[in-house]
Amino acid sequence: MKGLVLLGVGAAALLVGCASTQKVLDKAPTAIYHSDKSMVDVAFCLQNKNNVPAMEQSDGSRVVLIKNGYGGVAIALTVRQDGTGSKTEVRNQFGIIGAAWKQCIGTQVGTAG
């Protein structure tokens, strides 16, 4: 019984540390990528590789959220049209294992300092 209580307290502590979606989206990008593929194609690839939806925003961009095992946003990817290609802004909140999303977004062109 004591083990279950400690497990519950540990899980609660982890959930408190989970970032809200808006908190992650309000952060400056940790990396920026460019792709020759359109925003729609990149967003489709991201949702397909990660089994999550690409949410359309009021400015026309698409946001894909990759969550950790506790439901907290680990990475937020914002995909925007950029000429004939696209630009993807990556906002890292937590490190995660695996990076299938990197197969979709092209070449890194910058980081936020």
Side-chain angles (χ1 to χ4, degrees):
M1 182 68 162
K2 185 177 179 181
L4 288 176
V5 170
L6 289 175
L7 180 63
V9 170
L14 286 172
L15 287 175
V16 169
C18 289
S20 71
T21 299
Q22 195 58 51
K23 180 180 175 184
V24 178
L25 289 173
D26 286 344
K27 292 175 60 170
T30 51
I32 299 171
Y33 292 78
H34 182 269
S35 173
D36 292 335
K37 294 180 182 176
S38 73
M39 172 188 66
V40 172
D41 290 344
V42 170
F44 177 80
C45 179
L46 287 168
Q47 64 185 13
N48 187 47
K49 292 274 184 198
N50 296 287
N51 199 29
V52 295
M55 301 172 291
E56 186 172 355
Q57 302 300 293
S58 59
D59 65 358
S61 66
R62 307 292 195 277
V63 172
V64 174
L65 304 173
I66 300 173
K67 297 186 176 189
N68 63 19
Y70 300 101
V73 176
I75 299 173
L77 302 138
T78 303
V79 186
R80 303 177 192 287
Q81 196 64 36
D82 187 27
T84 59
S86 61
K87 175 176 79 170
T88 301
E89 299 169 348
V90 179
R91 290 171 175 82
N92 264 332
Q93 181 66 25
F94 305 110
I96 60 170
I97 297 173
W101 56 271
K102 285 187 177 181
Q103 299 169 12
C104 301
I105 60 176
T107 306
Q108 187 169 353
V109 294
T111 58

